[in-house]
Amino acid sequence: MKVEHSLEQEKTSGNDDIDAIRTGTVWSAVAHIISAVIGAGVLSLAWSTAQSPDPITGTRNHSYIDAVRVNLGKKWTWVCGLLQYVSFYGTGIAYIITSATSMREIQRSNCYRKGANADCQTGKNIFMLIFGIIQIVTSQIPDFHNMTWLSVVAALMSFCYSFIGLALGFSKVIDNRRIKGSIVGVPAKSAAQKIWLVFQALGDIAFAYPYSIILLEIQDTLKSPPPENQTMKKASMSAIVITTFFYLCCSGFGYAAFGNDTPGNLLTGFYEPFWLVDFANACIVLHLVGGYQVYSQPVFAFVEKKLTQKFPENKFLNKFYAIKLPVLPAFQLNFFRLCFRTFYVMSTTAIAMAFPYFNQVLGILGALNFWPMTIYFPVEMYIVQRKIGAWTKKWLLLEGFSMICLLVSVVGLIGSIEGIISAKLAKM
């Protein structure tokens, strides 16, 4: 049986305080943050180490863009929006590349067990397509409020593979009976090449903490009381402590285990024990299924909200159909949602297939996102909110910090672009 109803009847899809049903807690926020933070970034850190409530209006800021508009004005809203959604889109591409790498490693691991003469060469494209198909299905989750369960699963998986990567690195250091690597990192053919690698590594490291661009979207899922900002502060502190522990351990032990031969993706350096490495790679894939959605749902919400507001009478945009399948709960089908989200996933998959360069892609995304979204806008909003006067000691410290981070972003971007160009030319 098929029953149709309007967009207004789908309570959880609204963006107004009246319509939204918020059930999030500190633990669901921690799960969302960990799903957003621990991801492709943690796997590249060992490689990088080897290279060396609204206070003004009184209303809720539903998103990062809302906060920028309120504090810094409309002029900066367009810049922030462009950077934020490009970052979301790019992170989806990076997650497709990462998941394909992990799926290929599982296939290779099983192939190597057949003997030294087995043909274990398999491209990534087929695995990117598989991941893309999975995302087409999961992208039909209505919104952030309905995906807590997916973030919880993703967070658990990130714990698993991060801990396994840490343990395998530590075990390999013990087996080697020495710490590999050096304070200067991987040697290069020339000083220029070393500089490019260091720049790219800075971009990779910047990519490892990207959740600030989605912090307010996560906070918007929290119930009240207690006040959402208090819950978010607890969740942020807990998640950052946990992720920092894994980041430092994975990067340190990974480099100590492999030294100058540290792979771009830490887990690709291990083949034994087969079952444990396969399990870790499977955990990565399951985590990235949720991670992709954490970064895609804000894009879906933005586009769908704007179009439904502009064309409120359009049935293609606004009509929902309740589809009841055997055993499963009723599914709310909207044809625009189905078409738009499917096209979005297909486009990220196609770009990932065209540029499957793990570390370089992470470096570009990290460099583009790090300074403007993680440093500049938060610093400027803080200055406005606290009414910090220009050229005061505190103002100089904050602006100086921002300029240093800008330099890091610029050199990271340059190094990562050079890395992609070099990798592309090497295949020609």
Side-chain angles (χ1 to χ4, degrees):
M1 181 178 179
K2 182 166 72 175
V3 181
E4 62 180 54
H5 63 92
S6 67
L7 178 64
E8 286 74 21
Q9 290 175 289
E10 191 178 63
K11 294 294 184 185
T12 58
S13 67
N15 280 307
D16 295 326
D17 290 342
I18 296 175
D19 292 332
I21 300 174
R22 297 179 176 85
T23 59
T25 65
V26 63
W27 296 111
S28 68
V30 168
H32 285 314
I33 293 170
I34 291 175
S35 295
V37 179
I38 297 185
V42 72
L43 301 174
S44 71
L45 285 179
W47 180 92
S48 300
T49 302
Q51 315 312 313
S52 165
D54 185 71
I56 296 177
T57 65
T59 60
R60 176 189 294 267
N61 284 325
H62 296 284
S63 65
Y64 192 111
I65 293 177
D66 288 343
V68 171
R69 182 176 61 251
V70 169
N71 289 282
L72 302 180
K74 291 185 178 180
K75 178 180 70 173
W76 288 109
T77 302
W78 291 100
V79 178
C80 174
L82 176 63
L83 290 170
Q84 186 181 29
Y85 290 115
V86 166
S87 179
F88 288 157
Y89 188 80
T91 301
I93 295 170
Y95 280 13
I96 292 172
I97 297 171
T98 311
S99 64
T101 301
S102 296
M103 286 189 276
R104 186 180 66 173
E105 287 305 309
I106 295 174
Q107 189 273 338
R108 282 170 130 180
S109 175
N110 294 326
C111 181
Y112 285 137
R113 298 182 205 179
K114 299 176 182 177
N117 296 324
D119 182 10
C120 299
Q121 298 300 318
T122 304
K124 292 183 182 179
N125 285 357
I126 182 63
F127 299 116
M128 291 185 187
L129 288 173
I130 292 172
F131 189 80
I133 292 171
I134 294 171
Q135 288 303 332
I136 288 174
V137 176
T138 55
S139 68
Q140 296 307 308
I141 295 173
D143 52 38
F144 238 136
H145 301 279
N146 290 276
M147 63 169 289
T148 297
W149 63 273
L150 186 58
S151 284
V152 170
V153 172
L156 291 174
M157 293 301 101
S158 66
F159 281 137
C160 288
Y161 73 74
S162 296
F163 185 77
I164 291 171
L166 186 162
L168 289 174
F170 181 75
S171 175
K172 192 169 180 64
V173 171
I174 299 300
D175 289 341
N176 294 337
R177 297 186 179 180
R178 68 186 183 93
I179 296 176
K180 292 187 176 182
S182 66
I183 193 67
V184 298
V186 176
K189 295 179 181 179
S190 65
Q193 186 181 35
K194 181 66 176 180
I195 290 173
W196 292 129
L197 290 173
V198 171
F199 285 2
Q200 185 184 324
L202 289 173
D204 277 16
I205 293 170
F207 182 80
Y209 277 104
Y211 94 100
S212 60
I213 62 174
I214 206 168
L215 184 146
L216 288 177
E217 282 81 353
I218 294 174
Q219 184 170 307
D220 192 43
T221 68
L222 300 176
K223 65 181 180 182
S224 181
E228 298 96 322
N229 62 333
Q230 293 181 14
T231 302
M232 196 65 195
K233 185 176 181 179
K234 293 179 182 178
S236 294
M237 291 298 294
S238 299
I240 292 301
V241 168
I242 292 168
T243 54
T244 299
F245 169 78
F246 282 113
Y247 278 11
L248 290 175
C249 290
C250 284
S251 59
F253 284 118
Y255 183 46
F258 292 103
N260 294 341
D261 297 321
T262 300
N265 181 327
L266 179 60
L267 287 175
T268 61
F270 301 101
Y271 289 100
E272 293 182 346
F274 290 114
W275 67 270
L276 186 61
V277 177
D278 285 354
F279 177 72
N281 279 303
C283 288
I284 292 174
V285 176
L286 290 174
H287 167 248
L288 295 181
V289 170
Y292 184 100
Q293 288 303 312
V294 167
Y295 284 102
S296 298
Q297 285 293 337
V299 182
F300 300 156
F302 175 78
V303 173
E304 291 164 10
K305 176 187 175 184
K306 290 298 182 182
L307 288 177
T308 52
Q309 286 179 344
K310 189 171 184 178
F311 305 102
E313 304 300 323
N314 189 295
K315 291 186 177 181
F316 179 71
L317 294 171
N318 293 283
K319 286 292 183 180
F320 282 78
Y321 303 88
I323 308 297
K324 185 67 179 74
L325 300 175
V327 181
L328 298 176
F331 173 71
Q332 304 298 326
L333 175 66
N334 172 267
F335 287 114
F336 172 70
R337 174 189 289 174
L338 177 64
C339 294
F340 166 64
R341 297 188 181 190
T342 298
F343 175 77
Y344 180 91
V345 174
M346 290 173 62
S347 65
T348 57
T349 304
I351 294 175
M353 293 169 68
F355 298 96
Y357 310 117
F358 179 77
N359 288 93
Q360 295 90 335
V361 169
L362 296 193
I364 286 180
L365 293 173
L368 285 173
N369 168 51
F370 176 64
W371 179 71
M373 306 301 290
T374 306
I375 305 298
Y376 176 75
F377 286 124
V379 165
E380 294 302 316
M381 286 190 286
Y382 180 81
I383 289 173
V384 170
Q385 288 181 353
R386 297 303 176 96
K387 297 181 173 63
I388 299 173
W391 305 107
T392 62
K393 184 178 179 180
K394 196 168 186 178
W395 184 90
L396 288 171
L397 286 173
L398 289 170
E399 294 294 354
F401 170 71
S402 180
M403 288 301 100
I404 291 171
C405 292
L406 170 60
L407 180 62
V408 172
S409 283
V410 169
V411 298
L413 180 62
I414 294 171
S416 299
I417 291 175
E418 189 278 337
I420 280 190
I421 295 173
S422 298
K424 198 72 174 176
L425 293 176
K427 286 196 170 185
M428 293 183 176

